[in-house]
DNA sequence: TCTGGGGTCCTAGGACCC
DNA sequence: TCTGGGGTCCTAGGACCC
């Protein structure tokens, strides 16, 4: 989907069309501004001048989506809002409304499923679709079906998307970016050399900042640069799995199927504080937030019908370093109190001297609540899994 | 006043088992 | 003065993606 969150917002606020708009981060300021908007008016009547601006924002948020006009200013996803404000202070800033985006997400995926039943969910705004068995799916190399999907989604939701059609997921993903927004691009196997090899290595799904930097150190910038190395060289320098994978990818090879069903592995909740908190000085506040996160994860588990037996925490310190701890218990749980208890044990095993910026709670090793073996869930001897909590000085009785 | 939140997968070492 | 070879599970960190 093209600039998905922003596009959904523009459906509500059509008066912002063509303007630099960003969706992002910490809510409070934006919520206040929206609340103060003149009442009686419908959303579409709100004068542009009444919307909050990036320059008025104070806080720690990042941009999730920027409209294309905003991108003209150099603003992009994941950029800190404070930095974006320097690039384009007059850009309009809207708060994220996940419920709304999820609703639109369901609608566009439903449209696709009615046309092509083999669809892999890749998050709120992206999917893979297998055209192979769809009637007419091969006409004009898939372009006809892609057009139908675009048209149907636009009709049902008012939203545009960009589609890449290719022999596999790897190339299709890259192709989908060739013609944004509202574009279609069909890439054949024979296009590898002219269309894929010139691309920056970073465009490959799976090559991130670290791998890219390492490639750079070898003087390699493009996918073609990778393809030019032999397999053994890549394996020697990037490891057995990564090296072999890079070789395959650079030659456009990818055999991964379109996966239509999957089970969640973990569920988590985390939050970044408005200001850094200290385990001792801000103990009460931190404790309340921690408990709240445990309750939210529990709600999520229960609403979706899952239980889990690995409970974990995540801290991000003021220096941005991350620490995680987890503990596997001998039964499956989905209630806030149990999660809170085990998460509290995890907290006692992690250094708490530095100020904290973020705290998170995670439940993993999930199983469907209705598919658990009946009777007592205890393992063979209910041995304490993992080590027991070791208390560290300042943290001993905090939580 | 840099840098969100929710995920998956991989690696690597240690415990433990046969 | 030597100590295999599998396997699984647990834990911590990290890369990456949307």
């Amino acid at each position: 989907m093209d600039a998905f969150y922003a596009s959904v917002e523009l459906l509500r606020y059509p008066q912002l069309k063509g303007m630099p708009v960003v969706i992002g981060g910490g809510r409070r300021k934006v919520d206040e501004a929206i609340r103060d908007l003149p009442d009686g008016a419908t959303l579409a009547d709100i004068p542009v001048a009444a919307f909050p601006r990036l320059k008025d924002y104070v806080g720690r948020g990042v941009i999730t989506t920027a409209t294309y006009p905003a991108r003209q200013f150099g603003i992009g996803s994941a950029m800190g809002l404070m930095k974006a404000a320097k690039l384009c202070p007059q850009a309009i800033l809207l708060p994220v409304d996940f419920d709304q985006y999820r609703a639109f997400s369901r609608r566009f995926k439903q449209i696709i499923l009615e046309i092509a039943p083999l669809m892999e969910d890749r998050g709120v705004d992206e999917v893979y679709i297998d055209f192979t068995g769809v009637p007419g799916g091969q006409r004009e190399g898939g372009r006809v079906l892609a057009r139908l999907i675009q048209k149907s989604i636009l009709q049902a939701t008012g939203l545009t998307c960009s589609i890449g059609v290719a022999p596999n997921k790897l190339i299709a993903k890259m192709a989908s970016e060739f013609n944004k927004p509202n574009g279609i691009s069909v890439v054949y196997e024979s296009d590898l050399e002219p269309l894929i090899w010139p691309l920056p290595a970073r465009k490959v799904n799976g090559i991130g900042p670290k791998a890219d930097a390492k490639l750079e150190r070898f003087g390699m910038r493009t996918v073609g640069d990778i393809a030019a190395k032999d397999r053994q060289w890549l394996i020697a320098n990037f490891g057995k799995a990564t090296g072999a994978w890079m070789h395959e990818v650079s030659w456009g090879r990818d055999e991964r199927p379109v996966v239509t069903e999957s089970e969640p592995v973990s569920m988590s909740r985390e939050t970044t504080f408005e200001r850094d908190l200290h385990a001792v000085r801000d103990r009460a506040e931190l404790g309340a937030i921690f408990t709240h996160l445990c309750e939210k994860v529990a709600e999520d588990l229960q609403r979706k019908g899952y239980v889990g037996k690995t409970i974990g925490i995540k801290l991000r310190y003021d220096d941005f370093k991350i620490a995680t701890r987890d503990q596997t218990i001998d039964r499956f749980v989905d209630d806030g109190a149990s999660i809170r208890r085990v998460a509290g044990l995890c907290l006692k095993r992690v250094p708490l001297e530095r100020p904290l910026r973020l705290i998170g709670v995670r439940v993993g090793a999930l199983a469907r609540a209705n598919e658990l073996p009946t009777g007592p869930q205890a393992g063979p001897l209910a041995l304490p899994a993992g080590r027991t909590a070791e208390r560290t000085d300042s943290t001993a009785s905090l939580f």
Side-chain angles (χ1 to χ4, degrees):
Chain A
M1 302 303 290
D2 299 321
F4 185 53
Y5 297 178
S7 303
V8 171
E9 294 297 345
L10 287 184
L11 294 175
R12 286 196 275 205
Y13 307 117
Q15 63 272 49
L16 301 181
K17 221 170 280 174
M19 306 189 59
V21 176
V22 302
I23 317 297
R27 302 198 44 124
R28 175 175 306 171
K29 275 284 174 197
V30 186
D31 284 343
E32 275 170 18
I34 298 254
R35 199 182 317 127
D36 292 342
L37 291 172
D39 39 68
T42 72
L43 293 180
D45 292 331
I46 298 168
V48 169
F51 282 88
R53 305 290 161 148
L54 209 37
K55 65 176 160 57
D56 301 319
Y57 180 81
V58 177
R60 306 186 124 162
V62 299
I63 287 175
T64 63
T65 324
T67 59
Y68 287 87
R71 294 179 197 192
Q72 300 286 102
F73 290 86
I75 291 176
S77 296
M79 180 180 288
L81 285 168
M82 300 308 291
K83 183 177 171 190
K86 292 197 177 93
L87 292 170
C88 184
Q90 76 275 20
I92 285 160
L93 172 64
L94 298 175
V96 288
D97 182 353
F98 279 113
D99 291 341
Q100 187 78 348
Y101 311 146
R102 262 191 296 268
F104 275 89
S105 180
R106 278 192 295 271
R107 286 171 59 189
F108 91 76
K109 287 170 188 169
Q110 189 51 43
I111 300 298
I112 293 170
L113 282 172
E114 286 164 12
I115 297 170
L118 293 185
M119 184 191 81
E120 176 174 337
D121 208 311
R122 295 298 301 183
V124 75
D125 72 336
E126 194 173 286
V127 298
Y128 287 113
I129 310 162
D130 193 339
F131 279 16
T132 312
V134 181
Q138 308 305 309
R139 287 170 60 197
E140 293 178 33
R143 190 179 296 275
V144 172
L145 182 54
R147 269 200 296 261
L148 173 66
I149 289 172
Q150 268 187 337
K151 200 180 115 201
S152 307
I153 290 177
L154 181 62
Q155 224 163 50
T157 67
L159 297 168
T160 68
C161 61
S162 297
I163 302 180
V165 193
N168 59 50
K169 296 204 290 190
L170 170 79
I171 306 295
K173 167 77 174 161
M174 292 194 265
S176 72
E177 288 191 38
F178 286 179
N179 231 341
K180 278 181 171 224
N182 198 23
I184 294 174
S185 100
V186 180
V187 173
Y188 299 90
E189 242 162 305
S190 55
D191 294 326
L192 180 72
E193 188 171 344
L195 294 185
I196 303 297
W197 280 359
L199 295 177
R202 187 70 176 75
K203 293 289 178 188
V204 172
N205 197 247
I207 296 183
K210 298 290 182 177
D212 193 46
K214 183 166 176 184
L215 287 165
E216 192 77 50
R217 273 182 257 128
F218 287 110
M220 300 158 74
R221 276 191 48 254
T222 65
V223 179
D225 291 339
I226 303 176
K229 299 284 184 186
D230 68 56
R231 192 188 184 86
Q232 283 319 306
W233 186 92
L234 290 167
I235 289 175
N237 289 282
F238 288 88
K240 204 168 128 191
T242 306
W245 172 79
M246 277 185 179
H247 182 254
E248 290 301 297
V249 149
S250 69
W251 284 88
R253 295 193 281 259
D254 173 22
E255 301 282 307
R256 293 171 302 163
V258 170
V259 177
T260 57
E261 306 276 352
S262 71
E263 282 291 312
V265 173
S266 69
M267 292 184 197
S268 66
R269 287 280 183 151
E270 65 185 49
T271 189
T272 296
F273 316 128
E274 290 184 20
R275 58 177 181 92
D276 292 345
L277 297 179
H278 192 274
V280 177
R281 228 180 10 264
D282 305 302
R283 180 195 151 169
E285 193 174 351
L286 212 40
I289 294 169
F290 190 50
T291 301
H292 186 243
L293 290 172
C294 293
E295 286 162 358
K296 296 307 271 184
V297 179
E299 279 174 32
D300 295 340
L301 287 165
Q302 290 168 25
R303 178 163 27 86
K304 297 174 181 167
Y306 287 90
V307 291
K309 62 199 279 276
T310 301
I311 318 294
I313 60 155
K314 166 175 161 183
L315 304 180
R316 177 179 274 144
Y317 299 100
D318 62 342
D319 63 0
F320 242 67
K321 290 208 163 51
I322 291 171
T324 63
R325 294 292 181 274
D326 58 50
Q327 183 170 338
T328 301
I329 55 176
D330 55 18
R331 66 198 177 94
F332 286 93
V333 298
D334 68 354
D335 65 292
S338 299
I339 294 167
R340 177 65 177 77
R341 197 173 332 114
V342 182
L345 294 176
C346 292
L347 210 41
K348 288 176 177 161
R349 295 167 26 216
V350 75
L352 288 173
E353 283 75 40
R354 291 195 73 93
L356 300 168
R357 174 183 180 93
L358 166 150
I359 190 164
V361 176
R362 195 185 86 105
V363 176
L366 300 184
R368 297 200 87 111
N370 58 8
E371 284 172 17
L372 276 187
T374 51
Q377 293 169 11
L381 271 175
L383 286 171
R387 61 192 100 159
T388 50
E390 54 197 63
R391 289 170 176 260
T392 59
D393 47 343
S394 67
T395 74
S397 55
L398 281 185
F399 297 99

